[in-house]
Amino acid sequence: MTSKANDERKSDIVYDVDNLNLWYGNDQALRDVTLDIKRNEVTAIIGPSGCGKSTFIKTLNRMVELIPIVRTSGEIYYHGNNIFEKTTRVEDLRTKVGMVFQKPNPFPKSVFENVVYGPRIHGIKSRKVLEEIAEISLKRAALWDEVKDRLHDNAYGLSGGQQQRLCIARVLAVEPEVVLMDEPTSALDPISTLKIEDLIHELKQTYTIIIVTHNMQQAGRISEKTAFFLNGEVIEYDRTEMIFSTPKDKRTEDYITGRFG
Amino acid sequence: MDGRINIRELIMKSAGGALHRRADRIVSVFLLLAASISIITSIGIVLTLVTDAAHFFSEVSLRDFFGKNLAPLGSNPSFGVLPLIVGTLASSLLAMIVAVPVGLTAAIYMSEFAPAGLRNTLKPMMEVLAGIPTIVYGFFAYSFVTPMLMKMLPGLEAKNVLSAGLVMGVMIIPMVASLSEDAMNAVPTALREGALALGSTKLEVTLKVVVPAAISGIIASFILGISRAVGETMIVVIASGSSKKLTFDIMQSMQTMTSYIVEFTGGDAGSGTTGYYSLYAVGLLLFIFTLIMNLIAQYISKKYREAY
Ligand SMILES: Nc1ncnc2c1ncn2[C@@H]1O[C@H](COP(=O)(O)OP(=O)(O)O)[C@@H](O)[C@H]1O
Ligand SMILES: [Mg+2]
């Protein structure tokens, strides 16, 4: 392999997680997690409740540090830079790595103010530019047609599914590279869920998406890669169709065939 | 029932249901009574104020009442309350200049920045500060703050509204801080997480998300602070004195509405005289003042509300 091809392959790797361990106080929640996340792919994280899925993706943007008792060991490289290094500004990391939460959490502001919150704090002041960003982001989040006439109404007036897409628009408005999603459809009805799944299909052209889901059909529908977590360990990590058709580990097979979890 | 319990039957059998319903009614009557007591008292106060103030206004015109000359005990008494209004506004304004920035900063620190342990010690300490009798604050203003300020401000009089207002502000800090902190604490963590995940710093989260979301509670704390300042009596009696001259110089003594009332309930004005009835007129004015402030507070907090 030539060195150029090698470089290209390397730059395809967005996250390189190396022997990551994490403890809440004395309880270990992640054990020796090692995996690579590729650019412009959807990676699904599946596994039973409490196996560490949320903990894992919250570690990728260091949100997990908000809990004071958390300790970690091991490395996470984001484009080759160790995110735990002192020189990494956590605000910069989170600007490049956006996050959508399990429960929609729009700010108690207007739809417009929600979307432009990120651009505003990052210094964009021009009203015209902000309006443009709002329109682009809401269109990307497939919400524009539903809200274009109520941009200045409070976001709490939207339905749950619309609020979640608003939260996605809010993340897209800062043009991240990676979008982390923690069970983004678990609080939504089936139709809103489908809309968000369609949206994820669109978004993967531009973004790298890491999504936690406990819905295995969903993982099968939307992801290229799937990681199966159990008790804080990655049991199996492979192409999604491999995981679902020919799992190598007995425990993966048990889980996807519904024998536990 | 062959040994198994039938929950449905147990519920139906116990007469509890009916009893509870009756107890419910009795409790709600008691609650209504308790609520009525405070409403009836308020109505009583307003009626007393209005009827006695009516006596006063049958002898003194509104124009004289809102005049500049206040000399209630002279041989030709005059009852212009402008000096009292200015004194009340000046002392309250000074108090808020101290209490709003310090109280809000303390609240922000406690709610967003202090480690949990520190916060749990700071808040009770502040509440102790709020429990100090106001006469102690008055004495502190008169015998400590005024002499200290005199070294910096040579023109300062021994009784002056400046130190009364500043100390009143210190007295109000815990109230503003504690109520604002409660309002910010009630903002859901999910909002902070959403903002942090977009790359905000802690300060940005505080100023752009938490404070706006808590703004109605914060404004309410300011207004309660102002009400407290307008109604505060002992500090101004002791430290600001009883000058009835109309002035805007905060280095001088000014009398407030409350300290006027204190002076004249001391017995200087005989019952039934115009001076006696002027107390009710000033009292009514004070009442209207606080009422207007509360209405403003309600309006503002409704207008800027970011309900979550
Ligand atoms: N804030 C916390 N403090 C202590 N333990 C926690 C905390 N959050 C999660 N845990 C523990 O970490 C483990 C993994 O939790 P989590 O990552 O939320 O799992 P999942 O998202 O897969 O359901 C669980 O055992 C859970 O109890
Ligand atoms: Mg979870």
Side-chain angles (χ1 to χ4, degrees), chain B residues 178 182 205 224 263:
Chain B
S178 176
D182 288 344
V205 175
L224 279 174
E263 188 181 350

Side-chain angles (χ1 to χ4, degrees), chain A residues 61 63 66 89 91 94-95 97-99 101 105-109 117-118 121-122 156 170-171 174, chain B residues 188 190-202 204-205 208-209 212-213 305-308:
Chain A
N61 65 349
M63 287 293 284
L66 297 181
R89 254 190 98 233
E91 290 84 15
R94 291 178 190 156
T95 307
V97 181
M99 183 162 208
F101 295 80
N105 58 350
F107 302 130
K109 302 174 188 286
Y117 173 86
I121 62 161
H122 292 111
Y156 281 36
R170 187 173 73 178
V171 167
V174 291
Chain B
L191 298 184
R192 293 186 183 82
E193 286 176 347
L196 284 171
L198 288 164
S200 321
T201 61
K202 232 172 162 180
E204 285 162 346
V205 175
K208 307 250 162 80
V209 176
R305 178 179 215 108
E306 285 192 354
Y308 40 81

Side-chain angles (χ1 to χ4, degrees), chain B residues 137-297:
Chain B
Y137 281 102
F139 190 70
F140 173 69
Y142 177 66
S143 62
F144 179 76
V145 177
T146 296
M148 202 183 69
L149 286 176
M150 274 172 167
K151 290 192 188 121
M152 293 178 264
L153 304 167
L156 197 69
E157 293 180 3
K159 300 251 175 174
N160 64 85
V161 74
L162 177 61
S163 65
L166 295 181
V167 170
M168 204 147 86
V170 173
M171 178 197 76
I172 294 169
I173 289 170
M175 182 178 180
V176 170
S178 176
L179 291 175
S180 301
E181 203 262 355
D182 288 344
M184 288 193 269
N185 231 352
V187 175
T189 316
L191 298 184
R192 293 186 183 82
E193 286 176 347
L196 284 171
L198 288 164
S200 321
T201 61
K202 232 172 162 180
L203 189 62
E204 285 162 346
V205 175
T206 305
L207 298 181
K208 307 250 162 80
V209 176
V210 179
V211 169
I215 198 72
S216 52
I218 292 173
I219 290 178
S221 84
F222 295 167
I223 302 289
L224 279 174
I226 298 176
S227 294
R228 184 82 199 274
V230 168
E232 170 48 36
T233 312
M234 270 346 271
I235 298 178
V236 281
V237 165
I238 296 174
S240 182
S242 58
S243 161
K244 294 173 182 57
K245 189 177 59 166
L246 180 64
T247 171
F248 293 94
D249 182 0
I250 55 173
M251 311 245 282
Q252 295 182 18
S253 162
M254 291 187 199
Q255 189 163 44
T256 63
M257 292 188 245
T258 51
S259 55
Y260 176 84
I261 294 174
V262 168
E263 188 181 350
F264 283 86
T265 40
D268 285 352
S271 177
T273 64
T274 314
Y276 170 79
Y277 284 118
S278 75
L279 292 182
Y280 292 93
V282 173
L284 186 63
L285 189 64
L286 194 59
F287 178 80
I288 292 172
F289 246 68
T290 33
L291 188 69
I292 289 175
M293 243 148 25
N294 283 319
L295 292 179
I296 293 174

Side-chain angles (χ1 to χ4, degrees), chain A residues 24 27 29 47-56 58 67 69 182-183 212:
Chain A
Y24 290 105
D27 300 330
S49 277
C51 69
K53 307 179 295 291
S54 297
T55 302
F56 174 67
K58 281 195 293 181
I67 300 155
I69 53 171
D182 190 355
E183 302 194 30
V212 172

Side-chain angles (χ1 to χ4, degrees), chain B residues 56-214:
Chain B
F56 174 79
F57 285 116
S58 67
E59 286 166 39
V60 178
S61 72
L62 264 182
R63 210 166 133 212
D64 288 342
F65 185 63
F66 286 108
K68 292 192 284 195
N69 296 318
L70 183 61
L73 292 177
S75 52
N76 182 16
S78 59
F79 294 97
V81 289
L82 272 186
L84 300 182
I85 293 179
V86 171
T88 303
L89 290 183
S91 58
S92 304
L93 204 67
L94 282 166
M96 293 323 281
I97 288 173
V98 174
V100 164
V102 180
L104 189 56
T105 310
I108 286 177
Y109 177 72
M110 285 193 294
S111 146
E112 306 300 312
F113 291 90
L118 186 58
R119 187 178 135 237
N120 294 340
T121 32
L122 276 180
K123 234 190 150 184
M125 271 166 63
M126 291 213 112
E127 269 140 30
V128 168
L129 209 62
I132 297 176
T134 55
I135 194 156
V136 176
Y137 281 102
F139 190 70
F140 173 69
Y142 177 66
S143 62
F144 179 76
V145 177
T146 296
M148 202 183 69
L149 286 176
M150 274 172 167
K151 290 192 188 121
M152 293 178 264
L153 304 167
L156 197 69
E157 293 180 3
K159 300 251 175 174
N160 64 85
V161 74
L162 177 61
S163 65
L166 295 181
V167 170
M168 204 147 86
V170 173
M171 178 197 76
I172 294 169
I173 289 170
M175 182 178 180
V176 170
S178 176
L179 291 175
S180 301
E181 203 262 355
D182 288 344
M184 288 193 269
N185 231 352
V187 175
T189 316
L191 298 184
R192 293 186 183 82
E193 286 176 347
L196 284 171
L198 288 164
S200 321
T201 61
K202 232 172 162 180
L203 189 62
E204 285 162 346
V205 175
T206 305
L207 298 181
K208 307 250 162 80
V209 176
V210 179
V211 169

